Amino acid sequence: DIQMTQSPSTLSASVGDRVTITCRASQSISSWLAWYQQKPGKAPKLLISKASSLESGVPSRFSGSGSGTEFTLTITSLQPDDFATYYCQHYSTYPFSFGQGTKLEIK
Amino acid sequence: QVQLVESGGGVVQPGRSLRLSCAASGFTFSNYAMHWVRQAPGKGLEWVAVISYDGDNKYFADSVKGRFTISRDNSKNTLYLQMSSLRAEDTAVYYCAKEVPPGGYSDYWGQGTLVTVSS
């Protein structure tokens, strides 16, 4: 089974900052990776698919990159609404799996 | 608009069974694979199971294989998760999610239903 590892687990930043979250797969998953944002008590929201394809309606300050085993989610110019937990998920082969999450906190 | 509404959660004793339902609307349910994903209190997301659009193909996480089954009734636009031999570690919010073809990630999620396994 493919394991997904995110870093860091927690990230403190300020409004206006640029932040990067990393997700590593235990084996190559090509570009079969999605990123989700989750706020407390809410369902996850899809941000990015196929490693770098921004979903409709998602602000352009979000971007994804990578392929193979290493991926990044970058948020430029953080906004107050961006403070949440972020998860990567591979969908290369079953069973799918998520990273453990990165909590983005206000500094 | 797409809506997914889970139901059937509650408190259940260890070793017992429970069936969750997910009522879908706003899209052609029979055209899409569907997933269950769970989240233990204060923890991350865990993928649980998937069923193909026609119900012919099903896959499970190792943690639930042999205990959980997934099914669907396309005539009722409803997805199910039958959970048996429940354990304390199955305590979680269970989400159903619609898959984006040709496969993998999910664009719409329900609000979740809480399952608590406790004596």
Side-chain angles (χ1 to χ4, degrees), chain A residues 1-5 24-29 69:
Chain A
D1 297 356
I2 298 172
Q3 311 303 319
M4 307 301 292
T5 304
R24 289 186 173 88
S26 59
Q27 63 190 73
S28 177
I29 58 170
T69 62

Side-chain angles (χ1 to χ4, degrees), chain B residues 2 9 11 17 22 26-28 32-33 42 47 54 56 65 68-69 77 82 93 95 99 109 112 115-116:
Chain B
V2 172
V11 180
S17 299
C22 169
F27 65 104
T28 305
Y32 294 90
W47 180 82
D54 58 2
D56 283 352
K65 201 174 294 182
F68 289 14
T69 59
N77 290 344
Q82 179 69 46
V93 173
Y95 296 99
E99 182 177 289
W109 298 61
V115 173
T116 302

Side-chain angles (χ1 to χ4, degrees), chain A residues 1 32 34 36 38 41-46 48-50 55 87 89 91 94-101, chain B residues 35 37 39 43-47 50 59-62 95 99-100 102-107 109-112:
Chain A
D1 297 356
W32 305 120
Y36 299 89
Q38 188 182 34
K42 300 294 187 182
K45 173 188 174 183
L46 177 66
I48 287 169
S49 62
K50 211 171 180 185
E55 291 302 302
Y87 295 92
Q89 180 209 6
Y91 52 99
Y94 294 116
F96 295 167
S97 60
F98 291 87
Q100 80 278 16
Chain B
H35 296 254
V37 175
Q39 187 168 36
K43 303 298 184 182
L45 300 171
E46 180 186 14
W47 180 82
V50 61
Y59 298 92
F60 298 89
D62 290 345
Y95 296 99
E99 182 177 289
V100 178
Y105 61 98
S106 295
D107 55 352
W109 298 61
Q111 84 290 348

Side-chain angles (χ1 to χ4, degrees), chain A residues 9 50 62-63 83 93:
Chain A
S9 295
K50 211 171 180 185
F62 291 88
S63 64
F83 292 94
T93 56

Side-chain angles (χ1 to χ4, degrees), chain A residues 11-64:
Chain A
L11 183 55
S12 296
S14 301
V15 173
D17 284 355
R18 178 180 186 272
V19 298
T20 297
I21 299 169
T22 298
C23 177
R24 289 186 173 88
S26 59
Q27 63 190 73
S28 177
I29 58 170
S30 185
S31 296
W32 305 120
L33 185 98
W35 288 97
Y36 299 89
Q37 175 193 68
Q38 188 182 34
K39 295 183 179 179
K42 300 294 187 182
K45 173 188 174 183
L46 177 66
L47 299 176
I48 287 169
S49 62
K50 211 171 180 185
S52 61
S53 182
L54 196 67
E55 291 302 302
S56 175
V58 175
S60 59
R61 62 180 179 273
F62 291 88
S63 64

Side-chain angles (χ1 to χ4, degrees), chain A residues 67-107:
Chain A
S67 66
T69 62
E70 187 151 340
F71 303 84
T72 59
L73 172 70
T74 299
I75 313 171
T76 58
S77 190
L78 273 172
Q79 299 301 301
D81 191 51
D82 300 338
F83 292 94
T85 301
Y86 293 85
Y87 295 92
C88 61
Q89 180 209 6
H90 90 82
Y91 52 99
S92 173
T93 56
Y94 294 116
F96 295 167
S97 60
F98 291 87
Q100 80 278 16
T102 295
K103 186 176 183 180
L104 180 54
E105 299 180 329
I106 300 175
K107 186 184 291 184

Side-chain angles (χ1 to χ4, degrees), chain A residues 38 41-42 44 87 98, chain B residues 6-12 18-21 36-49 63-64 67-68 81 83 86-96 109-118:
Chain A
Q38 188 182 34
K42 300 294 187 182
Y87 295 92
F98 291 87
Chain B
E6 301 94 338
S7 61
V11 180
V12 60
L18 197 66
R19 188 178 81 161
L20 305 183
S21 300
W36 287 100
V37 175
R38 69 184 181 182
Q39 187 168 36
K43 303 298 184 182
L45 300 171
E46 180 186 14
W47 180 82
V48 173
S63 59
V64 306
R67 299 188 300 122
F68 289 14
L81 185 69
M83 306 183 293
L86 282 162
R87 307 167 179 167
E89 54 264 37
D90 296 318
T91 294
V93 173
Y94 286 74
Y95 296 99
C96 64
W109 298 61
Q111 84 290 348
T113 187
L114 175 62
V115 173
T116 302
V117 183
S118 173

